[in-house]
Amino acid sequence: MPPQVWAHATPSAPKNTHSGRPNTQRNRQKDLPSRRPTHTLGVVTPNGAAIRTIREARGMSLQRLARLIERSPGFVSRVETEDRGASPETLGRIATALRTPIHAITREKPRDQDEPGPRT
């Protein structure tokens, strides 16, 4: 009788989940690049009032902008009222849809304003 080989006996085989399928999520996470930003100059946040002003000046409805950037109208509304932030990718989509440079719809806050310094 040939010797039995168990999948969990080898150190490189993924462990089985409760459903019996191999858990490969850990391996995938190790292979993915880091999602940390490469710059540390400042934090870019959306300027909701500017987005709304430019959108209205272009005669564009909130629903139309939402369709163009592939987000919900509720999301766009919350960005415009500054109840929610937006990723750099989404800000780029908004700028493209409004045909305006990205710096016209964002604010940059220096990094040192994020972290409280020592009190003197």
Side-chain angles (χ1 to χ4, degrees):
M1 175 179 234
Q4 289 183 333
V5 177
W6 299 95
H8 66 276
T10 60
S12 62
K15 294 183 179 180
N16 287 341
T17 62
H18 67 280
S19 64
R21 294 181 301 205
N23 181 1
T24 57
Q25 186 65 34
R26 285 188 191 151
N27 294 341
R28 269 188 243 133
Q29 288 175 346
K30 284 188 255 179
D31 296 337
L32 294 175
S34 172
R35 296 187 77 148
R36 292 189 176 145
T38 56
H39 61 84
T40 58
L41 296 176
V43 177
V44 176
T45 59
N47 182 342
I51 294 170
R52 177 171 285 172
T53 300
I54 294 168
R55 176 180 60 77
E56 289 173 348
R58 301 267 193 270
M60 187 181 295
S61 71
L62 188 131
Q63 290 79 12
R64 174 81 176 137
L65 178 59
R67 269 195 314 273
L68 289 172
I69 67 168
E70 300 175 346
R71 298 289 188 262
S72 72
F75 173 84
V76 174
S77 175
R78 288 189 298 275
V79 170
E80 287 184 347
T81 58
E82 298 183 16
D83 290 336
R84 180 178 175 115
S87 71
E89 177 188 351
T90 301
L91 289 172
R93 288 181 181 189
I94 292 170
T96 300
L98 295 175
R99 298 181 317 264
T100 190
I102 196 161
H103 66 81
I105 61 166
T106 57
R107 295 185 187 110
E108 186 168 353
K109 183 169 55 169
R111 177 64 75 184
D112 59 353
Q113 287 184 6
D114 282 349
E115 301 169 16
R119 294 185 179 176
T120 54

